[in-house]
């Protein structure tokens, strides 16, 4: 399975920046001009896209939206502390290998057995190898890269540089079709310069009031516009406080759905007091918000 030639770029997914904006909106993701432009460039240049920003601003949803609007398969590597090569790239099915070795004892040479147990049948591809081997349009999402150890970044360098993976027992496996790669980071630690050099960069922050209002009305179209305005204003006040966790855009949408489910058409003190738990998940944050919004 050696690579005879470098990975071929994936045919462009988008025709223009406006095409990105329109198609993302078609699947419910309202992108800023900066976001749409960077997605377009990452697609055209065949470079990975690193998206940084606070939790809950739509980084992961951007990858999902790109996959949805381009009919691409989404392959997701969820990073966490302690993730290693076996979970990110591939591992061998040791139990199945042991059974095969046991079955071959006394009937074949070790060389024959070894060649068999280190073959495709016993290989367990994980997200990175899965994305490399797909021949269909693919979006590879490496989510919360900052939670992984520095060693995992080194593992990604070969993948992001040459879009190929080396399996010592089988050779080098090159991408049949280069995927669209999007990495996200909540900036809990600084990523290496080597990784950053291979990527285009996009910083996503909480949207401005008008964009967040449009997002809420897109996701919850039955919400009255006046209630959407009040909701967005209140959320922006909450984000201005020194909270342990500021409300995300997803939580703003959840709050809108909550108010509808309760049959409320205004966000008064009683309604906010009863439903703050939808957007604030720490008691200290709720107390601070109650004092600021005079809900006591």
């Amino acid at each position: 399975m050696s690579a005879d030639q470098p990975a071929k770029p994936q045919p462009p997914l988008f025709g223009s920046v406006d095409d990105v904006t329109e198609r993302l909106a078609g699947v419910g993701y309202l992108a800023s001009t900066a976001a749409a432009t960077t997605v377009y460039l990452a697609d055209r240049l065949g470079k990975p896209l690193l998206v940084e920003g606070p939790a809950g601003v739509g980084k992961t949803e951007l990858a999902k939206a790109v996959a949805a609007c381009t009919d691409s398969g989404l392959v997701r590597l969820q990073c966490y502390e302690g993730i290693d090569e076996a979970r990110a790239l591939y591992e061998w099915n040791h139990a199945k290998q042991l059974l095969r070795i046991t079955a071959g004892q006394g009937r074949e040479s070790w060389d024959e057995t070894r060649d068999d147990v280190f073959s495709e049948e016993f290989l367990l591809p994980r997200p990175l190898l899965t994305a490399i081997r797909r021949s269909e349009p693919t979006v590879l999402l490496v989510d919360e890269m900052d939670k992984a150890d520095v060693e995992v970044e080194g593992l990604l360098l070969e993948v992001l540089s040459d879009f190929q993976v080396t399996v010592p027992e089988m050779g080098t496996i090159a991408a049949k079709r280069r995927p669209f790669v999007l990495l996200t980071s909540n900036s809990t630690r600084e990523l290496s310069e080597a990784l950053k050099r291979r990527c285009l960069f996009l910083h996503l922050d909480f949207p401005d009031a008008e964009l967040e209002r449009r997002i809420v009305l897109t996701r919850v179209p039955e919400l009255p516009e006046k209630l959407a305005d009040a909701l967005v204003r209140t959320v922006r006040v909450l984000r201005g406080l020194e909270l342990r966790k500021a409300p995300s855009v997803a939580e703003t949408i959840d709050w809108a759905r909550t108010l509808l489910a309760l049959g409320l058409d205004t966000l008064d003190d009683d309604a906010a007091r009863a439903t703050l738990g939808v957007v604030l998940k720490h008691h200290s944050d709720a107390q601070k918000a109650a004092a600021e919004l005079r809900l006591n």
Side-chain angles (χ1 to χ4, degrees):
M1 299 185 66
S2 298
D4 296 323
Q5 54 186 353
K8 295 180 180 179
Q10 177 169 294
L13 299 172
F14 301 101
S16 65
V17 174
D18 288 342
D19 185 37
V20 176
T21 302
E22 292 171 9
R23 291 169 69 182
L24 288 177
V27 294
Y29 191 98
L30 302 184
S32 66
T33 300
T37 301
T38 311
V39 167
Y40 173 73
L41 292 174
D43 174 43
R44 280 293 166 140
L45 299 176
K47 293 182 69 73
L49 173 57
L50 171 61
V51 186
E52 286 190 343
V57 296
K59 302 185 298 295
T60 300
E61 289 302 314
L62 177 57
K64 293 179 179 179
V66 170
C69 76
T70 59
D71 294 322
S72 299
L74 178 68
V75 178
R76 180 175 182 173
L77 172 61
Q78 179 62 54
C79 296
Y80 53 87
E81 185 177 353
I83 190 173
D84 58 11
E85 180 176 338
R87 295 298 176 186
L89 195 53
Y90 72 90
E91 61 182 326
W92 293 102
N93 189 333
H94 298 300
K96 191 173 181 180
Q97 285 177 320
L98 182 58
L99 289 173
R100 172 64 182 83
I101 292 170
T102 302
Q105 286 179 343
R107 296 191 298 107
E108 59 187 17
S109 69
W110 166 242
D111 287 341
E112 291 174 319
T113 302
R114 181 189 57 204
D115 290 343
D116 192 20
V117 297
F118 288 111
S119 62
E120 181 71 31
E121 180 182 354
F122 300 89
L123 186 67
L124 298 175
R126 298 308 182 196
L128 293 182
L129 183 55
T130 296
I132 286 293
R133 300 175 77 185
R134 281 176 55 88
S135 58
E136 303 83 3
T138 301
V139 173
L140 170 61
L141 167 61
V142 183
D143 213 6
E144 298 185 299
M145 184 69 227
D146 51 321
K147 289 187 176 180
D149 298 329
V150 175
E151 290 75 14
V152 176
E153 290 189 35
L155 174 65
L156 278 172
L157 294 182
E158 179 184 15
V159 177
L160 299 183
S161 295
D162 303 317
F163 288 91
Q164 63 183 29
V165 170
T166 299
V167 181
E169 299 86 352
M170 299 174 64
T172 299
I173 304 172
K176 298 177 181 179
R177 180 173 183 149
R178 183 174 293 187
F180 181 99
V181 182
L182 191 149
L183 304 89
T184 75
S185 169
N186 294 334
S187 303
T188 59
R189 73 169 177 85
E190 190 71 21
L191 300 180
S192 71
E193 291 300 321
L195 181 64
K196 288 184 174 182
R197 280 197 304 271
R198 287 161 173 79
C199 303
L200 297 184
F201 178 79
L202 173 66
H203 180 80
L204 281 185
D205 210 334
F206 293 111
D208 61 33
E210 176 56 27
L211 180 55
E212 186 159 20
R213 176 181 175 277
R214 289 172 53 210
I215 291 171
V216 170
L217 290 174
T218 296
R219 294 298 184 91
V220 194
E222 61 273 32
L223 189 73
E225 291 194 13
K226 287 186 177 180
L227 185 53
D229 292 340
L231 188 64
V232 169
R233 283 198 304 270
T234 303
V235 167
R236 292 179 67 80
V237 170
L238 296 178
R239 289 188 187 133
L241 305 178
E242 294 183 2
L243 303 177
R244 290 181 61 184
K245 182 188 178 302
S248 68
V249 177
E251 286 164 336
T252 304
I253 294 169
D254 286 342
W255 206 1
R257 290 171 175 157
T258 297
L259 297 177
L260 279 182
L262 294 174
L264 301 174
D265 55 9
T266 58
L267 186 61
D268 57 20
D269 286 1
D270 290 338
R273 184 186 300 114
T275 57
L276 263 182
V278 175
V279 288
L280 301 179
K281 309 302 170 62
H282 298 280
H283 181 58
S284 59
D285 286 350
Q287 288 183 312
K288 187 175 294 186
E292 177 67 23
L293 300 176
R294 297 177 180 174
L295 301 177
N296 289 319

